[in-house]
Amino acid sequence: RVLVNTRAFFLHTPQVKLFKSQNESDDVLDDVACLVGSTRTSLNVVASEKGVVIGRLQFVEAGDEIDCMRMGVGGKAIPPYIDRVSNIRSDAEFILLVEKDAAFMRLAEDRFYNKFPCIIITGKGQPDVATRQFLRKIQRELKIPILGLFDSDPYGLKILTVFMKGSKNMSYDSANLTTPDIKWLGVRPSDIARYRIPAECRLEMTDHDIKTGKELLEVRHWASSAKRDCALASRK
């Protein structure tokens, strides 16, 4: 079968210009997938590589043996064709899910996974479909806990929610994209006072940040302690 990524789908439409932007073509893809009760991948359309993995993980990708401890400090790009990933093996004790690429790079450079046997994954901010599918697949295969390291602001919590409960745009495929049992390590808003983080290390929240935080308070799956932290993240 021939696979195409979402960017190529937007650029290689017929000579009549159907879409003004890739966002429009992405929305149409989601609508078509929902209409026929399918997924983007089942329609042979995938997103470009974005997420990265490093650490104590080996698997086979399209017949090639991959060892994520031998990929340099940049790690291994998470493949967009998750159905080509097989024979997953690991001696890791947990998966560390990291929001930011900068934090991922620091952990990779320190070889954190050698001292604490783990697999480190980042979606580099808002995660793509492949990263969410990959996380779900290896967690189900290895049956080890996932620990989440996210910023203590509304956007960090929103990204964590996408991993756990899915996004509105792709709610029709949440069953295949979500990993609900992620344990939120922090950094939590309550940690700011607990560890006396100085004011010069903080950023002033905008009205938009506060609005995002209040919207997150409507999410029902939060545990009581997480909800308190979400409320703290919604205040200036």
Side-chain angles (χ1 to χ4, degrees), residues 120-131:
I120 309 173
I121 293 175
T122 181
K124 298 183 179 180
Q126 193 68 240
D128 61 337
V129 170
T131 301

Side-chain angles (χ1 to χ4, degrees), residues 174-192:
S174 290
N176 298 312
L177 297 175
T178 56
T179 311
D181 52 346
I182 298 173
K183 296 174 175 63
W184 181 23
L185 283 181
V187 176
R188 293 172 177 257
S190 56
D191 290 339
I192 294 174

Side-chain angles (χ1 to χ4, degrees), residues 215-231:
E215 289 173 352
L216 286 172
L217 287 172
E218 302 300 320
V219 178
R220 296 181 180 179
H221 76 273
W222 291 115
S224 58
S225 60
K227 198 157 189 172
R228 285 195 296 271
D229 277 302
C230 190

Side-chain angles (χ1 to χ4, degrees), residues 9 32 42 78 94 105 109 119 121 132 173 175 201 219:
F9 178 82
V32 171
S42 298
I78 292 175
F94 61 92
M105 290 297 296
E109 288 172 357
I119 301 163
I121 293 175
R132 293 158 63 188
D173 196 27
C201 296
V219 178

Side-chain angles (χ1 to χ4, degrees), residues 43 66 77 220:
L43 297 174
I66 305 296
R220 296 181 180 179

